[in-house]
Amino acid sequence: MAADERSLKEAWSSIPSQGEVGIGLERFTGQRMERILSTVAAIGSAALGAQALLGAVTRLTRPDIAHVGIMVLVFAPLLWMIVACVIGKGIKPAAGTFTIAYAIALALWPVVVDRSVREPSSQPWIFFLVNIGVVAAMLAFSTRVQLAWALALPILYGWVRLVQGDFEQSWWISTGFDVSFTIILGAVIISLAWMFRQVAAGVDEARSQAVEGYASAAAASAAEEERVAMSALMHDSVLAALIAAERAGSERERTLAVAMAREALTRLANTEASIAQEGSDAPVAKTQIVAELRRTLSEQGVDAVVEERGEATAEVPGKVARAIVLAARQAIGNALAHAGGRGLHIIADSAASDRLSVTVLDAGPGFDPDAIGEDRLGIRASIIARMAAVAGKSRIDSDAEGTTVVLSWEPS
């Protein structure tokens, strides 16, 4: 029995709504492109990092604390960034940490380097990581910061190399070549990444527009089918029920006419729904109904309050709960469309444990319910007929100060 209740609650919580369509598809290509960029960055960083580490170990003339410390400062964040890029998690903080740590290591380079080794044409091991710092900036920062970093890191490297060589003339040529090369390569890296990201964003935007267009076409088609189905219902079920009620002469005939009318109203209310049944008689808690109404407001992006009053443990049959939620959704949609959501407030009240009423209020300009065209089914079918189909009541009061829609149900 407990398993059945859990299954019913899970089914109730998964009532589809328009706000859920397309979630997770907005940046499908963009996410794949970011994954590709991080994977390529991991491969390149691992290759150049291994080359730099080998150079650092083989050229380590004096393994003192300063040299070992600067190696740890550079290679520990680099390893973290490579691992983050491989697993696809924590890429931005790891890449940002390496970029900052590498810049600090560059600034400290003239202090810890052995100046007795005078080789202006031979690049130190830290040179192999200049463009890896640019790649890390590409993964961690915005485009403007990436461009600034692609220019700043090579210039910083050139400065510390000239400081290491005491600004001798022999150091200017080799250092100038290294700086210009790293600036050009860094600009190419940033440009390619920006181009790939823009292409991915364009694909995602085109996909979003295509899905929107398809959804609009499907909605228009469904609306037309609904009109046809409604006409058939009005002609067959409802008209037959009215004729039967008019010709009923005995108690038995009147009971059958009432049953026919209720069945017609049920089908009328469920025409726009995705299933052709009323719903279950299993009890649904008031808290679940309130949660569903709040979810509807959240999906619509509306900052409104769902106020709870009365019995907190109230329950109603599943088909009643479903009818109330769908009718309330229609009332909320009307308030957003015609009143702009002004003064939107929802009250879920239960005077007893087996009774429930939901009130939807707004502060819009109001309307005349009697002036609504016959082909407008938002109120007649989605609210009035839907509540009548489950033996519920609906009341709509509207004037210049706003509109109040009351949906109520109590056991007969």
Side-chain angles (χ1 to χ4, degrees):
M1 186 65 181
D4 293 339
E5 292 179 357
R6 284 196 300 270
S7 299
L8 287 171
K9 289 181 179 180
E10 291 175 1
W12 174 257
S13 64
S14 60
I15 292 179
S17 58
Q18 294 179 353
E20 296 176 344
V21 178
I23 293 178
L25 298 177
E26 297 87 352
R27 293 195 68 250
F28 178 83
T29 308
Q31 291 172 352
R32 296 304 181 273
M33 184 57 67
E34 291 297 330
R35 189 73 186 109
I36 293 172
L37 291 175
S38 62
T39 302
V40 173
I43 296 173
S45 300
L48 292 178
Q51 183 179 1
L53 180 60
L54 182 62
V57 173
T58 55
R59 298 179 186 180
L60 189 61
T61 57
R62 47 177 185 174
D64 53 12
I65 296 178
H67 284 81
V68 174
I70 202 168
M71 289 174 61
V72 172
L73 178 63
V74 172
F75 289 108
L78 177 60
L79 179 61
W80 179 23
M81 185 184 79
I82 293 173
V83 173
C85 289
V86 170
I87 65 177
K89 294 182 179 179
I91 297 176
K92 285 191 175 183
T97 301
F98 171 73
T99 304
I100 302 299
Y102 179 71
I104 295 174
L106 270 180
L108 295 175
W109 183 258
V111 180
V112 301
V113 71
D114 185 3
R115 296 200 179 189
S116 62
V117 180
R118 313 291 290 182
E119 297 179 354
S121 60
S122 178
Q123 296 96 346
W125 62 266
I126 203 168
F127 168 75
F128 299 111
L129 300 177
V130 174
N131 286 122
I132 297 302
V134 177
V135 170
M138 178 268 294
L139 294 174
F141 305 136
S142 63
T143 304
R144 291 184 178 180
V145 179
Q146 294 170 24
L147 292 172
W149 217 258
L151 183 63
L153 280 183
I155 292 176
L156 179 59
Y157 167 78
W159 174 260
V160 299
R161 282 287 284 170
L162 292 176
V163 171
Q164 178 186 349
D166 296 324
F167 294 93
E168 294 179 0
Q169 184 178 2
S170 58
W171 291 75
W172 281 88
I173 298 176
S174 60
T175 302
F177 175 78
D178 292 341
V179 170
S180 60
F181 172 77
T182 50
I183 288 178
I184 294 173
L185 183 57
V188 171
I189 292 173
I190 299 300
S191 300
L192 287 176
W194 176 83
M195 182 184 68
F196 290 147
R197 283 168 171 164
Q198 289 297 110
V199 170
V203 172
D204 287 331
E205 179 66 22
R207 179 187 293 108
S208 176
Q209 292 178 356
V211 170
E212 250 183 69
Y214 175 79
S216 300
S221 176
E224 185 61 29
E225 290 180 5
E226 181 184 19
R227 293 176 189 274
V228 174
M230 197 64 66
S231 299
L233 281 172
M234 292 294 292
H235 183 270
D236 297 334
S237 302
V238 178
L239 214 59
L242 292 175
I243 293 173
E246 182 184 8
R247 295 179 179 179
S250 64
E251 186 65 26
R252 174 64 175 168
E253 290 176 347
R254 283 192 289 271
T255 302
L256 291 175
V258 169
M260 289 176 62
R262 175 163 294 184
E263 178 67 18
L265 288 173
T266 299
R267 292 182 180 177
L268 186 65
N270 287 334
T271 300
E272 66 181 16
S274 58
I275 59 176
Q277 56 186 11
E278 294 181 58
S280 169
D281 284 326
V284 172
K286 170 187 171 183
T287 55
Q288 292 177 263
I289 297 174
V290 171
E292 184 62 27
L293 294 176
R294 286 173 177 160
R295 183 166 73 100
T296 300
L297 292 173
S298 176
E299 291 169 353
Q300 297 288 343
V302 182
D303 185 13
V305 176
V306 180
E307 181 183 350
E308 296 184 63
R309 297 178 183 176
E311 292 285 339
T313 58
E315 293 181 337
V316 295
K319 61 183 178 181
V320 174
R322 180 176 181 276
I324 290 177
V325 168
L326 293 176
R329 279 184 181 173
Q330 181 64 44
I332 293 171
N334 291 343
L336 295 176
H338 304 294
R342 286 180 296 169
L344 182 59
H345 185 69
I346 302 171
I347 302 172
D349 191 5
S350 49
S353 60
D354 58 351
R355 300 183 182 186
L356 179 65
S357 70
V358 172
T359 304
V360 180
L361 306 98
D362 67 67
F367 66 98
D368 182 6
D370 296 332
I372 299 176
E374 294 294 334
D375 61 334
R376 306 298 295 177
L377 306 176
I379 292 179
R380 288 189 175 88
S382 298
I383 297 179
I384 298 175
R386 175 167 280 129
M387 292 303 299
V390 294
K393 297 179 181 179
S394 57
R395 189 181 81 250
I396 301 175
D397 300 322
S398 184
D399 54 30
E401 297 181 356
T403 301
T404 301
V405 179
V406 181
L407 312 170
S408 60
W409 183 88
E410 60 183 38
S412 58

